Amino acid sequence: MAVEKQTLILDVEDKPALTTGLLLSLQHVFAMFGATILVPILLGLPVSVALLASGVGTLIYQIATKAKVPVYLGSSFAYIAAMQVAIEQMGGDISAAQTGIVMVGLVYIVIAGVVKVIGTNWIDRLLPPIVIGPMIMVIGLGLASNAVSNAGLIADSDWKTILVAVSTFLITAFINTKATGFFKIIPFLTGIIFGYIVAILLGLVDFTPIIEANWLAVPEIYLPFENDLFNSYTFYFGPETWAILPIVLVTVAEHIGDHTVLGKIVGRPFLKNPGLSRTLIGDGAATAVSAFFGGPANTTYGENTGVIGMTRIASVSVIRNAAFIAIGLSFFEKFTALISTIPNAVLGGMSILLYGVIASNGLKVMIEDKVDFNQSRNLIIASSMLVIGLGGAVLDIAGFVTLSGTALSALTGIILNLILPREESFKAKV
């Protein structure tokens, strides 16, 4: 679908009055809020750190792009499955996942350097839609069992858990399809609030953490080296860490897509000015810093584009103020304690929709590119990636690197796309 430049109320360089600017910034924060906090909740990471990293990461991005791009960074969904596996395999220790995401950020910076020197054609060659689509589908569907379990849709489950999950799912779905205006761009946040209220009415919420929490506190930072001041972990370079890196291929492609669409809405060629290399450096540095604090990977957001497209507010000043607000919220312990009391049933209902949407977006990538499944090579690539990515396949390379899930699926797709011969398009005769 074509995206046209919109008549903006506030352009990139515009700076609104103080009160107006703060209100617009609050709107942007809450539009991004549901997705930003959902990732750390699902991973068992501190919400306070995710908010801090989101704000700091956005400021880093603005510095890298010379404050020319109205982008807010939030927690990335793409790495959830790989991080969950890494954390589980380490017995709850986040060191493998943390090191992996720091490395992801550094890989972004390396790719930025390559892009600066030789351009972007190699990315298109390595990652066509027939590879990107199944990769995204594996990311979403790989988490399906966790969503179903949290939603209580298993044997001998409590009816209250199921009711909360179904209520959360339905209100999010209806808002996503029927709502207009501002609510249209915050379906996940609205769904969480509604599901939380239902859970309270059914007696599934324990308010003790909120009561015991202080009003203000330093975010629960986990630094990746030993020291006496923080409960921290060491850098870990085992197979669980390396398995996270191939997902960079997906998120770099998403990065390019997000900036392309945003550029069309605002009417500015962001991939040329300030340039893709700068936007990649900003995104990568923000991700590395977030992980260094113990937070999830950062990413440019489709929600960010939606907010700007709907409000017609593209001011970098508004984005910058939103980042400061997110940083401020991370120090309110009562607030982050409230987030921690959200029951698994609410997350389960939300996740059924969220993970399904992620998987469906992979299908959408292939549909929009009109991938021809009459071609055997396309059918082989997609089917192989899905089976390997979802079937629990594991490849141990000489005890040095163990590839599984999304990583092995991505490698399979890339290799098959490069070696399988291309066919002429044809239409079946009836």
Side-chain angles (χ1 to χ4, degrees), residues 228-257:
D228 297 326
L229 297 178
F230 298 91
N231 178 20
S232 59
Y233 303 85
T234 57
F235 279 118
Y236 177 81
F237 292 96
E240 300 87 356
T241 293
W242 295 102
I244 294 175
L245 293 186
I247 304 174
V248 170
L249 300 174
V250 176
T251 52
V252 165
E254 290 179 343
H255 176 102
I256 295 172

Side-chain angles (χ1 to χ4, degrees), residues 293-317:
F293 289 161
N298 276 345
T299 184
T300 53
Y301 259 173
E303 284 91 338
N304 176 80
T305 304
V307 172
I308 292 174
M310 181 165 291
T311 63
R312 294 178 293 149
I313 304 295
S315 168
V316 171
S317 175

